[in-house]
Amino acid sequence: RYVSIVDCHDCTFVLGVIDGSLTLDSSDHCHILTVTRCLRLFNTTHTTLNAFVANPPVLSSDSTPLTLGPYTSSYPKLEEHIHASGFNVSLSHNYWDQPLHLPDSCQPGTVTLMSPHEYYPFVIPVLPLERGTDAQHNPCELPPEFVKCLKIKAQAVSEMKDKIKDIPQADSHRDTIQAKF
């Protein structure tokens, strides 16, 4: 229900649905991915947060520089956990891009919103729990400009795959390259 991350450095945290709050304190160079009701940051630097936040994130005590972006991951029971928490994951209920700066804490310009071109899915390498489930579907609605950029990136990967298929190479080399995609 409640998660506190304190004094962590150079870490990536992929957290499940947090029905209460996530507090990040005295940490730097972290990447946090979560769906949470409340998000609070204290003395945190050089950190990226990809989050669905049901309330505006609270930033205080010299949390700089920070990058905030929409939630970018998934895992097999995420939708079930979101439903159990009662979150409405539509864009109008997501406040990732509306942080509150406590007085005399963050300096102007020290918090940036992730651009759609910087946004990539964070893939967790898990198998679906049952046939027909999609372990990589992000149920949190994205802003239209992020969806557009993801479609462009997916098309570029598809085109690259097609080009690789057409490379006249020994079958073993082509198979090795295709296995990477």
Side-chain angles (χ1 to χ4, degrees), residues 15-89:
L15 304 168
V17 175
I18 302 170
D19 193 25
S21 67
L22 167 62
T23 301
L24 187 60
D25 189 7
S26 301
S27 298
D28 68 343
H29 293 93
C30 291
H31 187 186
I32 312 294
L33 299 98
T34 191
V35 174
T36 186
R37 188 166 310 282
C38 298
L39 176 63
R40 302 177 305 163
L41 281 79
F42 303 95
N43 300 310
T44 297
T45 61
H46 300 94
T47 293
T48 298
L49 293 113
N50 287 102
F52 170 89
V53 188
N55 295 286
V58 177
L59 312 177
S60 66
S61 302
D62 298 326
S63 291
T64 62
L66 302 173
T67 301
L68 303 177
Y71 186 68
T72 180
S73 193
S74 187
Y75 58 87
K77 289 198 173 191
L78 177 59
E79 288 187 77
E80 183 180 317
H81 296 161
I82 288 171
H83 180 72
S85 73
F87 287 130
N88 176 345
V89 292

Side-chain angles (χ1 to χ4, degrees), residues 164-179:
I164 289 171
K165 283 182 200 175
D166 296 338
I167 294 174
Q169 297 180 23
D171 288 339
S172 63
H173 290 156
R174 185 175 50 240
D175 292 344
T176 301
I177 293 170
Q178 286 179 348

Side-chain angles (χ1 to χ4, degrees), residues 83-160:
H83 180 72
S85 73
F87 287 130
N88 176 345
V89 292
S90 68
L91 194 55
S92 63
H93 290 85
N94 191 353
Y95 295 90
W96 69 270
D97 59 347
Q98 300 172 44
L100 297 175
H101 302 272
L102 295 182
D104 300 324
S105 58
C106 294
Q107 300 298 318
T110 58
V111 177
T112 59
L113 299 181
M114 180 178 287
S115 85
H117 300 286
E118 297 172 301
Y119 182 85
Y120 288 91
F122 188 93
V123 178
I124 302 169
V126 296
L127 296 174
L129 292 178
E130 55 191 60
R131 187 180 297 249
T133 63
D134 182 0
Q136 301 307 326
H137 169 69
N138 178 359
C140 299
E141 184 179 359
L142 293 172
E145 60 274 17
F146 284 77
V147 173
K148 180 180 177 184
C149 278
L150 281 178
K151 286 180 180 178
I152 291 168
K153 291 171 187 175
Q155 181 62 35
V157 169
S158 179
E159 289 171 6
M160 185 184 312

